[in-house]
Amino acid sequence: MAEIKDFRFELLMDAGNGAQKAGDILVKTFAKAGVYVFIEPIIPAEISPPKRTPHSLSGAVIRVSSDEISNIGSYSQFVLVEHEILLDRRCDDLEFDKDAVILMDFGNERRAKEAYENVSKRVLDAGLNLVPFSINDDSEAIIKELNGNGKNMYYLGLLSYFFTVDTSIVEIIIRETFKKLPAEKLEKNINLFHNGYSYASSLKQDRYEFPSLIDESEKVLLDGNTAMSLGIIDSGFKLFAGYPITPASTIMHNLARLLPAYGGTLHQAEDEISAIGTVIGSYFSGVPAITATSGPGLSLKQEFIGLSVSAEIPCVVINVQRGGPSTGLPTRTEQTDLFSAAFGSHGDSPKVVISVANVEDCFYVPHVARYIAEKCRLPVIILSDYMTSSSYRVLDKLTLNKMDDIETIQDFVLDRFFMKRLPDTIEMVKGNQDTPGQTGGMRRVTGLNTNEDGFVEYSSVSNQRSHEIRNQKVHHVKDALLEPESFGSQDGDILIVGWGSTRSVIEESVQKLSEKGLSVGGCHLKIVYPLAPMLKEVFSRYKFVVSIEVAYGDSMKYTPFATLLRSETLVDVRGLIAQATGRPLKPVQVVEKVESFLKENVNA
């Protein structure tokens, strides 16, 4: 039995066959044993795609470690796959380690002998270790009794054996997960789990064991969208208005269940435009409100976002990014909405854009967004992404704020996003806007330009003044920003810069490069618009500055983040990795690219 400290493996099945459910159960088991986990679900974009087709690829990529981790890693070392078509499709992603063990179910070989032979040859030619297996007859009979369901529990048994987990804990979690099943069906699923566990020993493969971390602190297992939902409640938002869209929908699902218990209201609008209109209307009446969407929905919300700017009504929008343009890649990750968030509305429409680096940030970012939005009376857009939204992580217990007023925001929350408190008083275009219902109060709401009393005015002086004041609000935020988080060397040959979910990849890559004796630093931003004012000075400490981003770029087109950095600092920021594959960045990619870059530009 091999004891290992860091390992990545996969379970791949046809959509609808329960791979994610099995993966969730296994992840919870690891977490209970004190092992750190990070999981990436593989979800097809189509609804109910035909089984035994490449489009039906579904599953879970799981990284486990005895040390804290916050990214999915680089390559998988162990794969369990339901049939040859899914394995052939997944091989295209080039994410298997050179010595990976591939367990493939050969149950359908008689019906597709040539296809199995071709895929087996592909795997063996790649130097991978192919291990064929078949579900035994007794278990096949149970699966037939369950109308074809339950295979995921058999596979869960196989994985539980190879990763040496406590079967009693797995069984407890299975019973909790499927507690609504009739007792007879539940027992059949548990029998399948034990059958798979017993069968695994006959495959004569190495088993793996992870040393548990002895830690007395309380831990929780959360994914990004659940953390975001809980953060919305804790930061005092009382209304959520949304329209279902992948991968943001689970925020609304969670809040539908939880928000009413905390005195809040959930409104499922008829479309994206209505959802943001409801948010602005709620804030107009003095009730903090928020919405969540993805790229296509953000496009639809832009006119109302402009109204929020002009009318000086706070507005908070969560945008869980996915691959684009148009409907693009609904279940794949990208960071390509930065320009849409910062500059999407027509005219000069200043706003603040905050990103999240990990699951913990998802919990605390609604607090910061509400604080800025209400303090400055402008839109704040939160940028998450598919990877962060759907990935589970073991965390220290989160600190509740129970924020009922923006001035009660705790300093550690602002520190987490590298900013100080804003000035007590911030000038508005209209200085006499009261909350509706106040005796003797007045409020005028219009998208037209107004003077300081709120009356519509088209004079050049008035319009120029409005632009100056709206931009000054963002300048106040810029002035409050602290130097961004850094890793590795504080000066040297090369600085790797990123934002959002690239943080952990930068940190891990810089650590590996530093261990090789290279002079490398890392810099990560959470507030991406406006940019921190000292970036030019930070960049000046290095010979070269490069960006990494899950967005397309090439020799004639910079990525959005690199473009923003270049325009702000006038530093020649080069796009080291400009990847738009829909897959998350790998630390090994960054390490290899940096080594190659330094060889060509510094050590030549």
Side-chain angles (χ1 to χ4, degrees):
M1 186 181 298
E3 182 173 282
I4 49 180
K5 292 188 175 182
D6 196 299
F7 200 81
R8 189 179 117 160
F9 65 95
E10 302 183 14
L11 172 61
L12 307 175
M13 299 182 71
D14 276 325
N17 286 359
Q20 274 107 33
K21 191 69 71 176
D24 287 350
I25 292 169
L26 198 55
V27 160
K28 291 174 182 176
T29 305
F30 280 126
K32 283 183 177 292
V35 178
Y36 285 104
V37 295
F38 196 91
I39 180 171
E40 178 204 356
I42 299 175
I43 301 172
E46 296 79 11
I47 298 173
S48 300
K51 296 185 185 299
R52 288 193 54 77
T53 68
H55 302 289
S56 188
L57 175 64
S58 181
V61 181
I62 300 171
R63 183 182 179 189
V64 286
S65 176
S66 57
D67 298 316
E68 189 168 356
I69 50 174
S70 54
N71 67 72
I72 199 61
S74 297
Y75 297 115
S76 297
Q77 295 133 297
F78 187 99
V79 181
L80 195 162
V81 58
E82 185 177 6
H83 57 73
E84 87 289 2
I85 296 173
L86 300 181
L87 180 57
D88 193 43
R89 162 63 190 85
R90 185 68 174 125
C91 282
D92 294 339
D93 293 329
L94 304 175
E95 292 191 20
F96 296 157
D97 190 76
K98 56 183 176 61
D99 297 319
V101 174
I102 313 291
L103 269 66
M104 180 162 67
D105 190 336
F106 270 62
N108 289 308
E109 184 190 18
R110 284 180 296 178
R111 287 185 285 173
K113 189 172 182 60
E114 184 177 354
Y116 268 86
E117 289 176 352
N118 291 338
V119 174
S120 297
K121 184 177 185 304
R122 179 182 183 183
V123 169
L124 294 173
D125 287 347
L128 306 177
N129 302 297
L130 181 63
V131 180
F133 75 93
S134 296
I135 298 175
N136 58 42
D137 292 341
D138 289 344
S139 297
E140 285 284 12
I142 297 174
I143 291 170
K144 188 174 181 179
E145 291 171 6
L146 293 172
N147 298 318
N149 297 316
K151 189 184 290 187
N152 60 333
M153 292 296 100
Y154 189 89
Y155 290 170
L156 177 61
L158 289 170
L159 293 172
S160 297
Y161 174 84
F162 287 117
F163 293 108
T164 326
V165 299
D166 188 334
T167 56
S168 64
I169 295 177
V170 179
E171 184 172 332
I172 290 170
I173 298 174
I174 292 174
R175 291 186 181 279
E176 175 63 26
T177 302
F178 298 111
K179 60 186 177 184
K180 293 184 179 179
L181 278 181
E184 183 182 357
K185 285 188 175 181
L186 178 57
E187 293 307 318
K188 287 179 179 179
N189 275 277
I190 290 173
N191 287 340
L192 285 170
F193 163 70
H194 287 296
N195 288 353
Y197 189 92
S198 299
Y199 172 77
S201 61
S202 68
L203 296 178
K204 308 298 182 184
Q205 290 296 305
D206 289 340
R207 299 178 73 187
Y208 309 96
E209 186 174 27
F210 302 91
S212 298
L213 180 70
I214 305 301
D215 190 340
E216 299 300 324
S217 63
E218 291 188 76
K219 302 290 183 182
V220 293
L221 180 67
L222 285 178
D223 65 271
N225 274 0
T226 300
M228 189 81 75
S229 306
L230 298 174
I232 287 169
I233 293 170
D234 189 54
S235 56
F237 285 99
K238 294 302 180 185
L239 183 137
F240 178 93
Y243 183 78
I245 183 170
T246 303
S249 296
T250 53
I251 297 174
M252 184 162 63
H253 298 164
N254 292 328
L255 291 173
R257 179 169 49 89
L258 299 172
L259 189 57
Y262 292 88
T265 300
L266 183 127
H267 169 61
Q268 179 173 329
E270 62 268 32
D271 56 36
E272 297 281 6
I273 299 171
S274 174
I276 192 167
T278 301
V279 166
I280 293 174
S282 178
Y283 250 126
F284 169 73
S285 65
V287 177
I290 190 168
T291 185
T293 188
S294 190
L298 182 64
S299 298
L300 291 168
K301 294 179 186 294
Q302 291 292 359
E303 187 173 1
F304 258 130
I305 290 173
L307 176 63
S308 169
V309 173
S310 180
E312 296 185 312
I313 300 175
C315 171
V316 181
V317 179
I318 300 165
N319 178 40
V320 185
Q321 299 167 98
R322 68 190 209 186
S326 190
T327 44
L329 303 172
T331 57
R332 297 292 184 268
T333 201
E334 270 189 14
Q335 288 184 300
T336 45
D337 291 349
L338 178 54
F339 279 175
S340 295
F343 310 116
S345 299
H346 62 277
D348 184 56
S349 181
K351 56 190 76 71
V352 174
V353 182
I354 314 176
S355 70
V356 292
N358 48 41
V359 175
E360 298 101 312
D361 281 353
C362 289
F363 178 76
Y364 294 113
V365 73
H367 303 76
V368 180
R370 183 186 169 196
Y371 172 73
I372 295 173
E374 293 186 24
K375 196 82 175 175
C376 299
R377 286 201 216 160
L378 48 60
V380 175
I381 298 178
I382 298 169
L383 291 181
S384 179
D385 57 36
Y386 172 80
M387 187 65 198
T388 306
S389 72
S390 59
S391 297
Y392 283 96
R393 189 171 172 223
V394 176
L395 315 170
D396 289 326
K397 189 174 181 181
L398 299 165
T399 302
L400 296 180
N401 289 255
K402 300 180 180 179
M403 198 169 90
D404 55 1
D405 180 87
I406 59 170
E407 299 302 338
T408 65
I409 189 170
Q410 298 186 49
D411 288 335
F412 85 88
V413 177
L414 295 173
D415 292 342
R416 185 177 188 90
F417 290 84
F418 298 89
M419 72 173 292
K420 302 175 293 186
R421 289 180 181 268
L422 294 168
D424 292 336
T425 303
I426 295 177
E427 185 181 7
M428 300 292 152
V429 174
K430 299 181 284 292
N432 60 349
Q433 302 298 289
D434 295 311
T435 301
Q438 284 187 307
T439 303
M442 179 187 72
R443 180 139 194 162
R444 291 192 179 92
V445 176
T446 176
L448 296 170
N449 185 66
T450 68
N451 61 21
E452 59 188 304
D453 294 321
F455 292 100
V456 173
E457 185 173 320
Y458 300 142
S459 71
S460 57
V461 172
S462 175
N463 196 55
Q464 179 69 11
R465 172 185 174 274
S466 297
H467 282 301
E468 289 174 354
I469 292 174
R470 287 193 290 262
N471 279 277
Q472 187 60 42
K473 296 177 189 180
V474 178
H475 299 340
H476 282 305
V477 176
K478 188 181 187 74
D479 289 340
L481 297 182
L482 304 170
E483 184 172 320
E485 186 176 16
S486 61
F487 312 99
S489 300
Q490 295 302 301
D491 54 43
D493 289 333
I494 189 169
L495 178 68
I496 306 166
V497 190
W499 67 280
S501 59
T502 63
R503 180 197 176 278
S504 62
V505 175
I506 295 173
E507 182 180 26
E508 188 170 322
S509 302
V510 169
Q511 180 182 350
K512 292 180 183 298
L513 290 161
S514 299
E515 289 170 355
K516 295 184 176 188
L518 298 176
S519 180
V520 178
C523 176
H524 177 268
L525 283 72
K526 291 184 180 177
I527 295 183
V528 284
Y529 193 82
L531 293 173
M534 71 294 294
L535 283 181
K536 186 170 184 177
E537 192 277 325
V538 172
F539 291 178
S540 70
R541 303 173 197 158
Y542 300 85
K543 294 177 183 176
F544 297 96
V545 179
V546 297
S547 66
I548 65 170
E549 195 169 2
V550 189
Y552 181 77
D554 55 38
S555 61
M556 299 182 70
K557 176 187 177 180
Y558 293 102
T559 57
F561 185 56
T563 301
L564 203 57
L565 293 175
R566 291 170 66 88
S567 66
E568 183 88 8
T569 66
L570 300 183
V571 172
D572 182 20
V573 179
R574 308 188 193 185
L576 183 72
I577 295 181
Q579 172 182 300
T581 62
R583 303 293 302 137
L585 291 177
K586 305 180 184 71
V588 69
Q589 289 177 292
V590 181
V591 170
E592 291 172 353
K593 285 280 191 179
V594 169
E595 288 178 324
S596 176
F597 183 92
L598 290 176
K599 185 176 180 180
E600 293 176 9
N601 294 279
V602 177
N603 304 320

